Amino acid sequence: MNRSIRLCALAAASLLAIAAASGQQHRAVRLGHPLTRFAPPLSQPEQLRALFANEKLRADVEEILRQAGWGGQAADLRQAASTAPIAEIELPVGSRLPYMSSRKEGKPVALIDVLWDGDAPVSAYAFDLVSNGRRYRCITPKPCSNFYTVDLGPALPDLALACAAPAQAVVGRRFEVCLVLTNQGFAAETNIHLRLETPPEARLINATEDPALAEDHAAWTVASLEPGAARRVCATFLARQPGLLSYTAAAAPAGGETRQTRCETLATGIPAILLETADLEDPVEVGKEVVYVIKVTNQGSAVGTHLKVTCSLPESQEFVSSEGPAPARVEGRMIVMDTLPELAPKAQAVWRVTIKALKPDDARFKVFISSDQFQKPVQKDEATQLY
């Protein structure tokens, strides 16, 4: 005989000989005796499923459960055996079993209060189930099929709430924040109130799943969530300004513990620089002066930094003066403005550059701008007739 089976064998003789009055503990030192095992030994989980699906054993299984005073339904046990995940566990020496199926003269017998007192742990299969509002674990030692169940307590719902938001979003563009509510427990949860707060730096646009919308939050009601089920809802937001947007959410079941979560989105802006140039007089007589107005506007949602404005003069023109947010100097045929450290969103910087007409020309006054955000300069030309 295989040593592991020999060590783990359960002989009815060794159990029943020690049994005395009803309720007295049985001491098991061996498992797997052919005369007392409930069914043949097990080596694969599929054999355990087949055991509980066997119509010839159905009445015997129900009789064992009846004798043990089990509070669940035999149909629930059979259903779980056919579909539930089956784990492999070990029963340490000294394990106390509430009962164990066995046989006496071929008839099913539930041995009540059994102590595993062999000389080594015994390998077993186990699966969980819910019946009549309680959780149970069915455990079956491999060397025999002498199963038993353990009461794990009431079958309760267990909610988990997760929040998912994009790592980054652009100011002025829409993005979604989604909540996933999952019931990881063993019973349905009802009348769950979901709420997602709107941070002050964002604006709530709309949401999925027919929510109740307010300026500062979106709310949903989940009528029922079965065990293992999940519900996903999403809200669409628009960032008002750059910064870290923090979203907090809560799921409050009727009479249950509230679950909370949070997620974040970094809202970033985009600088969009508009360059405009215009002469205030055209045409211009030689020897006279003309003023060019240069407007730099940040049409974007982020600060523009280190803005550099330069102007190129044709041979027919001469620099006279400049007024604006940064001083100007002449370098050959170029007018160079000092770097503007930053330009806020929607802000505007304006220069007035005065030029003298030197000779007749279809002149082109060229303006360039660059910044940290775009190294390739933007160019704007203004045509002026000199006569």
Side-chain angles (χ1 to χ4, degrees), residues 242-260:
L244 188 63
L245 309 180
S246 180
Y247 292 87
T248 59
E257 182 181 354
T258 298
R259 298 289 190 267
Q260 294 183 322

Side-chain angles (χ1 to χ4, degrees), residues 149-170:
T149 56
V150 178
D151 191 333
L152 301 179
L156 300 174
D158 182 13
L159 296 181
L161 181 63
C163 178
Q168 287 190 332
V170 176

Side-chain angles (χ1 to χ4, degrees), residues 108-250:
V109 175
L111 302 175
I112 308 301
D113 191 13
V114 178
L115 173 68
W116 168 239
D117 202 22
D119 57 3
V122 60
S123 181
Y125 289 125
F127 62 87
D128 292 349
L129 69 144
V130 174
S131 187
N132 288 350
R134 298 191 72 81
R135 295 173 54 213
Y136 295 96
R137 179 162 296 155
C138 180
I139 301 173
T140 308
K142 289 185 182 181
C144 58
S145 295
N146 294 19
F147 71 89
Y148 65 96
T149 56
V150 178
D151 191 333
L152 301 179
L156 300 174
D158 182 13
L159 296 181
L161 181 63
C163 178
Q168 287 190 332
V170 176
V171 172
R173 295 185 182 176
R174 298 184 178 193
F175 61 94
E176 276 193 339
V177 176
C178 295
L179 303 179
V180 178
L181 180 66
T182 306
N183 186 353
Q184 300 175 331
F186 299 90
E189 186 62 273
T190 59
N191 198 26
I192 310 163
H193 296 284
L194 270 176
R195 182 181 174 106
L196 176 61
E197 304 292 339
T198 303
E201 303 86 358
R203 180 162 63 92
L204 177 61
I205 306 298
N206 54 45
T208 63
E209 300 291 325
D210 192 26
L213 297 179
E215 184 176 348
D216 62 346
H217 74 273
W220 299 263
T221 298
V222 180
S224 180
L225 195 65
E226 296 296 321
R231 178 77 174 271
R232 182 176 184 267
V233 295
C234 298
T236 301
F237 293 92
L238 186 146
R240 300 177 187 269
Q241 62 189 51
L244 188 63
L245 309 180
S246 180
Y247 292 87
T248 59

Side-chain angles (χ1 to χ4, degrees), residues 50-136:
L51 184 154
F52 287 101
N54 191 335
E55 288 296 326
K56 294 181 180 180
L57 294 177
R58 174 179 290 205
D60 288 355
V61 170
E62 293 178 355
E63 177 61 19
I64 293 295
L65 298 175
R66 185 194 67 78
Q67 291 182 28
W70 189 54
Q73 299 290 325
D76 294 333
L77 179 64
R78 287 192 297 271
Q79 176 62 30
S82 68
T83 59
I86 295 178
E88 187 170 338
I89 65 172
E90 279 197 342
L91 301 179
V93 175
S95 295
R96 194 77 171 264
L97 318 181
Y99 69 93
M100 176 178 274
S101 66
S102 183
R103 289 192 181 274
K104 181 179 180 181
E105 299 178 354
K107 295 182 178 181
V109 175
L111 302 175
I112 308 301
D113 191 13
V114 178
L115 173 68
W116 168 239
D117 202 22
D119 57 3
V122 60
S123 181
Y125 289 125
F127 62 87
D128 292 349
L129 69 144
V130 174
S131 187
N132 288 350
R134 298 191 72 81
R135 295 173 54 213
Y136 295 96

